[in-house]
Amino acid sequence: MPYSVDKTEDEWRKELGEEQYAVLRQAATERAWTGELLDEERAGLYTCGACGAELFKSGTKFDSGCGWPSFYESIRPDAVELLEDDSLGMVRTEVRCATCGSHLGHVFPDGFGTPTGDRYCMNSIALNFTPDES
């Protein structure tokens, strides 16, 4: 799929730090309970850590107890790309930024008590956060 932000892997590697590159471009996962956005509670906007595309609003973030920031829906259905991921001997749904194709995390149908029933389990390092100005 062609993305509106299209860079070579060398360009991504130069722009992103080693850890960000591993998660965003190689689908690695940061360790649970270590991400700096896990406990972020301010109102604001979450964007792609690679290209800056808008992905999630703070009002959809919830404490799922899984160790990664969780959201029950993306800012728009077309903001993210959902792909079947059968790595690690299981079938999951990978979530990528629809603007640049970077790996963000996975979505699971176990967001109990949320309006959608979904849990977008995202890597903190794959996101940037901008608090609302008030």
Side-chain angles (χ1 to χ4, degrees):
M1 171 179 184
Y3 298 103
S4 58
V5 173
D6 184 26
K7 299 179 182 183
T8 67
E9 289 308 309
D10 282 342
E11 289 172 318
W12 284 122
R13 194 179 302 273
K14 287 176 186 167
E15 284 182 31
L16 305 170
E18 186 177 320
E19 288 181 63
Q20 259 195 319
Y21 181 82
V23 171
L24 287 160
R25 303 307 301 172
Q26 297 177 315
T29 300
E30 68 187 353
R31 282 190 6 256
W33 310 105
T34 63
E36 61 184 63
L37 296 177
L38 177 61
D39 297 320
E40 179 59 66
E41 296 181 358
R42 295 175 291 174
L45 183 65
Y46 292 85
T47 57
C48 177
C51 73
E54 295 181 352
L55 299 171
F56 300 98
K57 290 182 181 178
S58 60
T60 64
K61 188 173 189 263
F62 69 103
D63 182 1
S64 69
C66 71
W68 291 276
S70 298
F71 304 85
Y72 62 79
E73 69 183 353
S74 60
I75 197 165
R76 294 177 321 282
D78 64 349
V80 295
E81 178 182 25
L82 304 179
L83 301 167
E84 184 176 301
D85 174 5
D86 60 4
S87 65
L88 304 178
M90 63 182 112
V91 178
R92 302 176 292 171
T93 302
E94 180 185 10
V95 180
R96 289 188 188 176
C97 173
T99 302
C100 71
S102 290
H103 172 81
L104 305 169
H106 291 86
V107 63
F108 303 96
D110 62 3
F112 306 115
T114 69
T116 63
D118 290 331
R119 174 175 56 99
Y120 285 79
C121 184
M122 303 291 97
N123 290 285
S124 281
I125 200 166
L127 304 173
N128 289 322
F129 176 74
T130 305
D132 286 346
E133 295 178 20
S134 29

